[in-house]
Amino acid sequence: MYLSGIKEGYIRPLVELESNKCENLIDYSVKNLFPDIFKGLSATYLEFPFKTKLVLGHTMKDQLGLSVMINKNINDESRKLFTQAHELGHIVMHQGFLNGSSLDFENDIDEANSDMREHEANWFAANLILPVQVAYTHVMEKHTAKQIRFFTGLSVQSTLFRLKNILKKVYWFQDENLIEQIVKQYSTCNHMDEVGSSELYKIFSEGYKLPHIDSPNARSFVNDNSDLSKKLAQNIKLEKNALNIEINNFNNIQRIIGSL
């Protein structure tokens, strides 16, 4: 599939490049790749003070070549990093469209946008900034969403959106409402004890990462592999258990206990 090819051909090598510099995946941060990576793609990189704060980034291609402009007035480092990764996604995936045209980035990862190219660039940025193995490592270290933002530079809002996608695409969870509930519970965690008591931590520690559900022949590959089938069965069991258990806010439990 198209996005699988992008992941294997572009995202994975960049993730490995940065991962190889780290003694521990907790230290993974792609901010070290920018803005130098644009030079490797023969793209001119500029940080320009746009008169509007609505436009975060702008990518265009004309007779002089590729140009990427990031709004210098962005005062949030997480948003700036996401914008850089988003614009890189446009260069990698949409150069054909960019001939004689341009793309403006105005939205965060989970804000409504009907343009498929913007969704694809968001997907590219999220996969680059917070790869599955890095997200897994942080949760296993019992880091909160705010701590993940500190380490990776991905905003809390985008981190939560990414975790929903991982539950669905990597752990093969199917119930959208349950996924929303699990991530919402995790979002309330303020310290490691709360993360360790969360459903997300339980799933990541007891479940199994499977071939990406959107990868070519992923389903048949799992069905044809007895070990992967067993792992999928375990994930299905975890999902059913989570559906049968009311997910409580750990903070509320603590307050109730404290009032007794």
Side-chain angles (χ1 to χ4, degrees), residues 25-41:
L25 282 176
I26 290 173
D27 300 322
Y28 175 93
S29 177
V30 297
K31 66 182 180 181
N32 301 319
L33 299 176
F34 299 106
D36 290 342
I37 192 170
F38 290 109
K39 297 178 182 177
L41 295 170

Side-chain angles (χ1 to χ4, degrees), residues 22 42 66 69 71 91 99 110 132 176-177 183 203 241:
C22 307
S42 299
L66 273 167
M69 286 177 280
N71 193 340
I91 290 176
N99 285 320
D110 59 349
V132 172
E176 296 282 357
N177 291 330
V183 174
I203 292 162
N241 288 342

